[in-house]
Amino acid sequence: MSYEDEELIPVYYIKRFHFCPRTVYFEAVLGYKEYKKEYMVKGEEEHEKRREKNGEKKKCFSLFKCGNNSILE
C-alpha cells in the first residue's frame, strides 16, 4: 500500500472531534455542511469593505494557490 492509496482526513477534523464527535460524523460520513449564519456573512462583508477602503489585499498563508497568487511559484 502506497502513500497515495491511503485515505487521509483533514487535520481540523481531529480538533472538531475532540469537542463534538457528531459534527465530524455529520460532515464526513453523512455529507452535511454547516451553513454560514447571517452574522458571519455580514462580518465577512464588513471585513471586505474595510480591506478595500484601506487598499489591502487578501492574505494567503498557504502552500497552495490563493486566488491568482501562489507561494510555490
Side-chain angles (χ1 to χ4, degrees):
M1 178 183 246
S2 68
Y3 177 73
E4 291 83 23
D5 295 336
E6 292 183 26
E7 198 169 322
L8 304 175
I9 62 168
V11 176
Y12 72 91
Y13 277 180
I14 297 168
K15 181 179 177 183
R16 292 178 68 193
F17 185 84
H18 174 72
F19 291 103
C20 182
R22 290 182 191 155
T23 60
V24 176
Y25 175 75
F26 287 141
E27 187 174 329
V29 178
L30 299 178
Y32 295 134
K33 299 290 181 184
E34 184 177 4
Y35 64 91
K36 290 184 179 181
K37 294 165 181 67
E38 185 179 344
Y39 67 89
M40 294 169 71
V41 174
K42 287 182 180 179
E44 288 175 353
E45 292 171 354
E46 185 64 31
H47 280 275
E48 188 62 33
K49 287 179 190 175
R50 289 184 185 187
R51 270 192 217 103
E52 290 174 3
K53 183 179 177 182
N54 295 333
E56 297 176 15
K57 294 182 180 178
K58 199 169 190 178
K59 294 182 173 112
C60 179
F61 296 104
S62 174
L63 294 178
F64 304 104
K65 289 188 176 187
C66 179
N68 294 332
N69 303 326
S70 175
I71 295 175
L72 296 177
E73 294 178 353

